Amino acid sequence: MTLDRDAIADRLAAAGYIADRDLATALWLMEMLGRPLLLEGEAGVGKTEVAKALARVHEAELIRLQCYEGLDQNAALYEWNYQRQLLAIKAREGTGENADDIEEHIFSEKYLLERPLLAAIRRPTPPVLLIDEVDRADEEFEAFLLELLSDFQVSIPELGTVKATAVPRVVLTSNGTRELSDALRRRCLYTYVDFPDEAREARIILARIPRIDTALAAQIARMVAAIRREDLAKAPGVAETLDWAAALLALGARELAPDLVDETLGVLLKYEEDVRRVRGATAAAYVDDLVAAGT
Ligand SMILES: Nc1ncnc2c1ncn2[C@@H]1O[C@H](COP(=O)(O)OP(=O)(O)O)[C@@H](O)[C@H]1O
Ligand SMILES: [Mg+2]
């Protein structure tokens, strides 16, 4: 299925993801060129969700590899089920079966534990492979990834070489806590995912929380945009915006008011200094602006 850029954005929206033009273009190029896509940006801007939405659009399976410090090839690719292997050996003890046969048996498919990367290259229909927060893994793992992403094949000493029959769509995300290698960047298409602008954030709220009033969604988006311009320890991500919108809806709010904002700021801001900065006069002034602008 080859879609043009606008069609991709429309399909994503139908799948609950509101993309801007840069991202829609990147996803389109990813289809055209069959290359992995690296998404970089702050926490909570919607990077992980891109892969989930892409899987929904293509009705493909989503396979996720969550990266972390110390992640190694075994945990990412495959492991042997030692316990089962031991049981199998025990069961054969005293049967006179020769050691080579036993070894061949216990290093077969039956005892293989497929981990995300092997799963992704062995699926008959191409899945979406999400390699999430790749900046958390170490450089050695990154080098291994690069190799895998170059030819989509791995060799398992006991079983031989496995090559992807269908190349998966690959999305990598990074929160930028560590510089990724140039080699990995070169292998991928790249998009920086920024906080959405006000209009897009309002659309995101409506897409995710359909029961909310359009006017309230617009107010929330405008308020969040204003709050993000403050000098904060941690600017709220889209996740926090959505939590806030859900909280306001649960409280039966029809529009923002200074007290209401003050009381619910802890849903949006997660540092005491940030709450202190916005609560009170600042929040009230923003609400005044909303009223003056008629949003
Ligand atoms: N453009 C968007 N359209 C719809 N939902 C979004 C969008 N961006 C973010 N979200 C929602 O915001 C939350 C945080 O997004 P997530 O992908 O987890 O962020 P990240 O991976 O960048 O930290 C999720 O609940 C996601 O569904
Ligand atoms: Mg994420």
Side-chain angles (χ1 to χ4, degrees), residues 5-35:
R5 264 180 295 187
D6 294 335
I8 286 181
D10 290 347
R11 295 273 184 112
L12 283 171
Y17 193 90
I18 314 300
D20 66 7
R21 202 164 166 78
D22 279 1
L23 182 62
T25 304
L27 290 168
W28 175 66
L29 286 171
M30 180 187 173
E31 290 297 311
M32 301 296 293
L33 305 174
R35 294 274 288 276

mmCIF file of all heavy atoms in Angstrom, residues 5-35:
data_model
loop_
_atom_site.group_PDB
_atom_site.id
_atom_site.type_symbol
_atom_site.label_atom_id
_atom_site.label_comp_id
_atom_site.label_asym_id
_atom_site.label_seq_id
_atom_site.Cartn_x
_atom_site.Cartn_y
_atom_site.Cartn_z
ATOM 1 N N ARG A 5 1.486 11.754 0.951
ATOM 2 C CA ARG A 5 1.669 12.389 2.256
ATOM 3 C C ARG A 5 0.366 12.733 2.963
ATOM 4 O O ARG A 5 0.203 12.485 4.148
ATOM 5 C CB ARG A 5 2.473 13.670 2.087
ATOM 6 C CG ARG A 5 3.915 13.468 2.338
ATOM 7 C CD ARG A 5 4.630 14.743 2.170
ATOM 8 N NE ARG A 5 4.559 15.217 0.784
ATOM 9 C CZ ARG A 5 5.230 16.266 0.353
ATOM 10 N NH1 ARG A 5 5.988 16.935 1.184
ATOM 11 N NH2 ARG A 5 5.146 16.643 -0.903
ATOM 12 N N ASP A 6 -0.543 13.324 2.206
ATOM 13 C CA ASP A 6 -1.799 13.730 2.830
ATOM 14 C C ASP A 6 -2.596 12.515 3.265
ATOM 15 O O ASP A 6 -3.207 12.505 4.328
ATOM 16 C CB ASP A 6 -2.626 14.578 1.861
ATOM 17 C CG ASP A 6 -1.922 15.905 1.585
ATOM 18 O OD1 ASP A 6 -1.127 16.332 2.458
ATOM 19 O OD2 ASP A 6 -2.153 16.493 0.508
ATOM 20 N N ALA A 7 -2.552 11.480 2.436
ATOM 21 C CA ALA A 7 -3.284 10.270 2.781
ATOM 22 C C ALA A 7 -2.712 9.653 4.055
ATOM 23 O O ALA A 7 -3.458 9.152 4.898
ATOM 24 C CB ALA A 7 -3.236 9.279 1.629
ATOM 25 N N ILE A 8 -1.393 9.725 4.204
ATOM 26 C CA ILE A 8 -0.781 9.189 5.428
ATOM 27 C C ILE A 8 -1.275 9.966 6.639
ATOM 28 O O ILE A 8 -1.673 9.385 7.652
ATOM 29 C CB ILE A 8 0.761 9.219 5.345
ATOM 30 C CG1 ILE A 8 1.230 8.113 4.393
ATOM 31 C CG2 ILE A 8 1.395 9.037 6.721
ATOM 32 C CD1 ILE A 8 2.710 8.001 4.220
ATOM 33 N N ALA A 9 -1.263 11.297 6.533
ATOM 34 C CA ALA A 9 -1.741 12.118 7.658
ATOM 35 C C ALA A 9 -3.202 11.802 7.977
ATOM 36 O O ALA A 9 -3.583 11.696 9.146
ATOM 37 C CB ALA A 9 -1.564 13.600 7.337
ATOM 38 N N ASP A 10 -4.018 11.610 6.936
ATOM 39 C CA ASP A 10 -5.435 11.292 7.158
ATOM 40 C C ASP A 10 -5.610 9.941 7.836
ATOM 41 O O ASP A 10 -6.404 9.791 8.760
ATOM 42 C CB ASP A 10 -6.201 11.277 5.824
ATOM 43 C CG ASP A 10 -6.328 12.682 5.240
ATOM 44 O OD1 ASP A 10 -6.055 13.648 5.985
ATOM 45 O OD2 ASP A 10 -6.685 12.797 4.048
ATOM 46 N N ARG A 11 -4.870 8.962 7.350
ATOM 47 C CA ARG A 11 -4.960 7.621 7.954
ATOM 48 C C ARG A 11 -4.522 7.627 9.409
ATOM 49 O O ARG A 11 -5.104 6.973 10.255
ATOM 50 C CB ARG A 11 -4.062 6.624 7.211
ATOM 51 C CG ARG A 11 -4.474 6.366 5.804
ATOM 52 C CD ARG A 11 -5.507 5.236 5.756
ATOM 53 N NE ARG A 11 -5.817 4.950 4.372
ATOM 54 C CZ ARG A 11 -5.493 3.816 3.752
ATOM 55 N NH1 ARG A 11 -4.907 2.856 4.417
ATOM 56 N NH2 ARG A 11 -5.775 3.657 2.489
ATOM 57 N N LEU A 12 -3.443 8.388 9.668
ATOM 58 C CA LEU A 12 -2.959 8.479 11.050
ATOM 59 C C LEU A 12 -4.024 9.130 11.932
ATOM 60 O O LEU A 12 -4.280 8.685 13.048
ATOM 61 C CB LEU A 12 -1.669 9.301 11.125
ATOM 62 C CG LEU A 12 -0.388 8.607 10.684
ATOM 63 C CD1 LEU A 12 0.747 9.619 10.602
ATOM 64 C CD2 LEU A 12 -0.010 7.480 11.640
ATOM 65 N N ALA A 13 -4.632 10.172 11.406
ATOM 66 C CA ALA A 13 -5.674 10.859 12.182
ATOM 67 C C ALA A 13 -6.819 9.896 12.472
ATOM 68 O O ALA A 13 -7.342 9.853 13.589
ATOM 69 C CB ALA A 13 -6.168 12.094 11.434
ATOM 70 N N ALA A 14 -7.171 9.091 11.473
ATOM 71 C CA ALA A 14 -8.237 8.110 11.681
ATOM 72 C C ALA A 14 -7.812 7.085 12.743
ATOM 73 O O ALA A 14 -8.651 6.528 13.451
ATOM 74 C CB ALA A 14 -8.577 7.418 10.367
ATOM 75 N N ALA A 15 -6.507 6.865 12.849
ATOM 76 C CA ALA A 15 -5.991 5.940 13.864
ATOM 77 C C ALA A 15 -5.695 6.660 15.180
ATOM 78 O O ALA A 15 -5.070 6.104 16.072
ATOM 79 C CB ALA A 15 -4.731 5.244 13.341
ATOM 80 N N GLY A 16 -6.107 7.918 15.275
ATOM 81 C CA GLY A 16 -5.982 8.648 16.544
ATOM 82 C C GLY A 16 -4.692 9.427 16.710
ATOM 83 O O GLY A 16 -4.400 9.938 17.779
ATOM 84 N N TYR A 17 -3.887 9.525 15.641
ATOM 85 C CA TYR A 17 -2.640 10.280 15.760
ATOM 86 C C TYR A 17 -2.644 11.497 14.844
ATOM 87 O O TYR A 17 -2.814 11.387 13.640
ATOM 88 C CB TYR A 17 -1.423 9.407 15.409
ATOM 89 C CG TYR A 17 -0.131 10.067 15.825
ATOM 90 C CD1 TYR A 17 0.384 9.845 17.092
ATOM 91 C CD2 TYR A 17 0.537 10.941 14.983
ATOM 92 C CE1 TYR A 17 1.541 10.483 17.507
ATOM 93 C CE2 TYR A 17 1.696 11.585 15.389
ATOM 94 C CZ TYR A 17 2.192 11.336 16.648
ATOM 95 O OH TYR A 17 3.334 11.972 17.066
ATOM 96 N N ILE A 18 -2.455 12.663 15.437
ATOM 97 C CA ILE A 18 -2.476 13.907 14.679
ATOM 98 C C ILE A 18 -1.040 14.322 14.376
ATOM 99 O O ILE A 18 -0.319 14.776 15.268
ATOM 100 C CB ILE A 18 -3.202 15.025 15.465
ATOM 101 C CG1 ILE A 18 -4.528 14.523 16.071
ATOM 102 C CG2 ILE A 18 -3.425 16.243 14.581
ATOM 103 C CD1 ILE A 18 -5.543 14.015 15.052
ATOM 104 N N ALA A 19 -0.630 14.139 13.130
ATOM 105 C CA ALA A 19 0.762 14.406 12.736
ATOM 106 C C ALA A 19 0.877 15.778 12.088
ATOM 107 O O ALA A 19 -0.066 16.264 11.474
ATOM 108 C CB ALA A 19 1.231 13.342 11.751
ATOM 109 N N ASP A 20 2.044 16.393 12.220
ATOM 110 C CA ASP A 20 2.263 17.620 11.439
ATOM 111 C C ASP A 20 2.880 17.231 10.099
ATOM 112 O O ASP A 20 3.134 16.053 9.827
ATOM 113 C CB ASP A 20 3.113 18.635 12.213
ATOM 114 C CG ASP A 20 4.530 18.144 12.447
ATOM 115 O OD1 ASP A 20 4.903 17.082 11.914
ATOM 116 O OD2 ASP A 20 5.264 18.823 13.174
ATOM 117 N N ARG A 21 3.123 18.212 9.261
ATOM 118 C CA ARG A 21 3.546 17.933 7.897
ATOM 119 C C ARG A 21 4.928 17.275 7.842
ATOM 120 O O ARG A 21 5.162 16.370 7.043
ATOM 121 C CB ARG A 21 3.521 19.242 7.095
ATOM 122 C CG ARG A 21 3.417 18.982 5.639
ATOM 123 C CD ARG A 21 3.018 20.152 4.801
ATOM 124 N NE ARG A 21 3.284 19.809 3.414
ATOM 125 C CZ ARG A 21 2.510 19.030 2.675
ATOM 126 N NH1 ARG A 21 1.413 18.518 3.188
ATOM 127 N NH2 ARG A 21 2.830 18.751 1.435
ATOM 128 N N ASP A 22 5.830 17.730 8.709
ATOM 129 C CA ASP A 22 7.181 17.143 8.729
ATOM 130 C C ASP A 22 7.121 15.642 8.982
ATOM 131 O O ASP A 22 7.791 14.858 8.321
ATOM 132 C CB ASP A 22 8.008 17.767 9.865
ATOM 133 C CG ASP A 22 8.583 19.109 9.458
ATOM 134 O OD1 ASP A 22 8.323 19.537 8.317
ATOM 135 O OD2 ASP A 22 9.276 19.714 10.296
ATOM 136 N N LEU A 23 6.316 15.293 9.964
ATOM 137 C CA LEU A 23 6.244 13.885 10.330
ATOM 138 C C LEU A 23 5.556 13.070 9.237
ATOM 139 O O LEU A 23 6.005 11.969 8.891
ATOM 140 C CB LEU A 23 5.509 13.725 11.666
ATOM 141 C CG LEU A 23 5.406 12.291 12.175
ATOM 142 C CD1 LEU A 23 6.778 11.693 12.440
ATOM 143 C CD2 LEU A 23 4.562 12.230 13.442
ATOM 144 N N ALA A 24 4.486 13.628 8.673
ATOM 145 C CA ALA A 24 3.788 12.918 7.590
ATOM 146 C C ALA A 24 4.741 12.698 6.415
ATOM 147 O O ALA A 24 4.768 11.616 5.815
ATOM 148 C CB ALA A 24 2.551 13.694 7.153
ATOM 149 N N THR A 25 5.550 13.705 6.131
ATOM 150 C CA THR A 25 6.527 13.580 5.038
ATOM 151 C C THR A 25 7.545 12.483 5.353
ATOM 152 O O THR A 25 7.872 11.650 4.512
ATOM 153 C CB THR A 25 7.274 14.913 4.816
ATOM 154 O OG1 THR A 25 6.305 15.933 4.581
ATOM 155 C CG2 THR A 25 8.215 14.830 3.629
ATOM 156 N N ALA A 26 8.029 12.491 6.594
ATOM 157 C CA ALA A 26 9.023 11.488 6.987
ATOM 158 C C ALA A 26 8.443 10.078 6.869
ATOM 159 O O ALA A 26 9.118 9.158 6.396
ATOM 160 C CB ALA A 26 9.490 11.753 8.411
ATOM 161 N N LEU A 27 7.190 9.925 7.272
ATOM 162 C CA LEU A 27 6.575 8.595 7.211
ATOM 163 C C LEU A 27 6.367 8.161 5.768
ATOM 164 O O LEU A 27 6.485 6.981 5.431
ATOM 165 C CB LEU A 27 5.246 8.586 7.980
ATOM 166 C CG LEU A 27 5.413 8.691 9.500
ATOM 167 C CD1 LEU A 27 4.073 8.978 10.163
ATOM 168 C CD2 LEU A 27 6.032 7.419 10.067
ATOM 169 N N TRP A 28 6.076 9.127 4.937
ATOM 170 C CA TRP A 28 5.904 8.846 3.522
ATOM 171 C C TRP A 28 7.233 8.405 2.905
ATOM 172 O O TRP A 28 7.324 7.398 2.200
ATOM 173 C CB TRP A 28 5.358 10.110 2.835
ATOM 174 C CG TRP A 28 5.241 10.036 1.368
ATOM 175 C CD1 TRP A 28 4.410 9.221 0.650
ATOM 176 C CD2 TRP A 28 5.985 10.803 0.411
ATOM 177 N NE1 TRP A 28 4.586 9.454 -0.688
ATOM 178 C CE2 TRP A 28 5.542 10.421 -0.865
ATOM 179 C CE3 TRP A 28 6.959 11.792 0.524
ATOM 180 C CZ2 TRP A 28 6.046 10.980 -2.027
ATOM 181 C CZ3 TRP A 28 7.465 12.357 -0.639
ATOM 182 C CH2 TRP A 28 7.014 11.950 -1.896
ATOM 183 N N LEU A 29 8.308 9.149 3.235
ATOM 184 C CA LEU A 29 9.634 8.789 2.724
ATOM 185 C C LEU A 29 10.072 7.414 3.220
ATOM 186 O O LEU A 29 10.704 6.643 2.510
ATOM 187 C CB LEU A 29 10.663 9.848 3.142
ATOM 188 C CG LEU A 29 10.563 11.163 2.387
ATOM 189 C CD1 LEU A 29 11.462 12.214 3.011
ATOM 190 C CD2 LEU A 29 10.936 10.953 0.911
ATOM 191 N N MET A 30 9.688 7.139 4.454
ATOM 192 C CA MET A 30 10.019 5.848 5.044
ATOM 193 C C MET A 30 9.413 4.712 4.211
ATOM 194 O O MET A 30 10.055 3.699 3.953
ATOM 195 C CB MET A 30 9.441 5.860 6.458
ATOM 196 C CG MET A 30 9.662 4.638 7.258
ATOM 197 S SD MET A 30 8.685 4.862 8.778
ATOM 198 C CE MET A 30 8.920 3.253 9.477
ATOM 199 N N GLU A 31 8.178 4.935 3.770
ATOM 200 C CA GLU A 31 7.506 3.957 2.905
ATOM 201 C C GLU A 31 8.202 3.851 1.562
ATOM 202 O O GLU A 31 8.461 2.758 1.052
ATOM 203 C CB GLU A 31 6.049 4.355 2.648
ATOM 204 C CG GLU A 31 5.132 4.244 3.845
ATOM 205 C CD GLU A 31 5.005 2.810 4.334
ATOM 206 O OE1 GLU A 31 4.762 1.917 3.500
ATOM 207 O OE2 GLU A 31 5.155 2.589 5.546
ATOM 208 N N MET A 32 8.494 5.024 0.991
ATOM 209 C CA MET A 32 9.083 5.060 -0.350
ATOM 210 C C MET A 32 10.467 4.419 -0.373
ATOM 211 O O MET A 32 10.822 3.717 -1.310
ATOM 212 C CB MET A 32 9.238 6.514 -0.837
ATOM 213 C CG MET A 32 7.960 7.323 -0.901
ATOM 214 S SD MET A 32 6.812 6.654 -2.089
ATOM 215 C CE MET A 32 7.711 6.981 -3.597
ATOM 216 N N LEU A 33 11.257 4.714 0.647
ATOM 217 C CA LEU A 33 12.657 4.305 0.637
ATOM 218 C C LEU A 33 12.917 3.032 1.434
ATOM 219 O O LEU A 33 14.007 2.481 1.384
ATOM 220 C CB LEU A 33 13.541 5.442 1.178
ATOM 221 C CG LEU A 33 13.390 6.798 0.479
ATOM 222 C CD1 LEU A 33 14.208 7.863 1.192
ATOM 223 C CD2 LEU A 33 13.806 6.694 -0.985
ATOM 224 N N GLY A 34 11.916 2.617 2.204
ATOM 225 C CA GLY A 34 12.085 1.416 3.021
ATOM 226 C C GLY A 34 13.177 1.566 4.073
ATOM 227 O O GLY A 34 13.933 0.641 4.343
ATOM 228 N N ARG A 35 13.275 2.760 4.635
ATOM 229 C CA ARG A 35 14.334 3.005 5.624
ATOM 230 C C ARG A 35 13.747 3.161 7.014
ATOM 231 O O ARG A 35 12.600 3.568 7.182
ATOM 232 C CB ARG A 35 15.067 4.308 5.268
ATOM 233 C CG ARG A 35 15.832 4.242 3.956
ATOM 234 C CD ARG A 35 17.220 3.684 4.156
ATOM 235 N NE ARG A 35 18.053 4.667 4.840
ATOM 236 C CZ ARG A 35 18.682 5.653 4.211
ATOM 237 N NH1 ARG A 35 18.584 5.803 2.908
ATOM 238 N NH2 ARG A 35 19.436 6.492 4.896
#
